[in-house]
Amino acid sequence: VNISAGSTHFGVVIWDADKLSPECQSVLLKPLEESSAKTCLYLIVSNENGLLPTVLSRCVVMSYVGDHKLLKEYWKSVLECFSKGPAKCLSLADELEKSEMVIMLEEIIFKLKSGLGAEVNINRLKILKLAIDSLSVIRYSNVNPKMTLANFLINSWRLIKVPTR
């Protein structure tokens, strides 16, 4: 909470939060209650029932289901978008169906999560947040999924091509 007060935007992703001890989960209560609009706290869990009821009651639960062993079909297309630019991003978004977009975003989230062990940088975290937000919009809203995916791909391309200042 103190770190986020001095930043323009602050995001924290806690993987396997359901595996934290009850004491560690209790420490999360204050940040969950006192975070501002510019602070995002993501608790990624395998089983939401592994969280304390007091923690769970302060969260918005979003389902994320996918067989990550099978997720490999879209990564090459995404890398091609990032190398060829906005026109390719728009083309890819236009040719995919909504169900394919969900699978692609799940694959991107999985790849980015896997890469965090090797390298953590602000752009990788921004792209991860964009992917999670885009997946949420595509799954749970009536917003045009092609526009949402195109927006994600173009913004991610910008983050990759423009160095962090």
Side-chain angles (χ1 to χ4, degrees), residues 66-87:
D67 186 354
H68 302 301
K69 294 174 187 162
L70 301 175
L71 297 176
K72 294 184 181 175
E73 59 188 279
Y74 296 103
W75 187 244
K76 288 182 183 179
S77 299
V78 172
L79 292 177
E80 189 177 338
C81 284
F82 293 160
S83 67
K84 292 190 176 178

Side-chain angles (χ1 to χ4, degrees), residues 8 11 14 29-30 35 48 56 63 67 84 88 92 94 105 110 114 124-125 133 165:
T8 57
I14 300 175
L29 291 173
K30 186 174 181 179
S35 63
E48 67 188 68
L56 194 57
S63 175
D67 186 354
K84 292 190 176 178
K88 182 64 180 165
L92 179 61
D94 193 45
L105 286 167
F110 179 73
S114 301
R124 184 182 296 254
L125 295 174
D133 291 345
R165 296 176 192 196

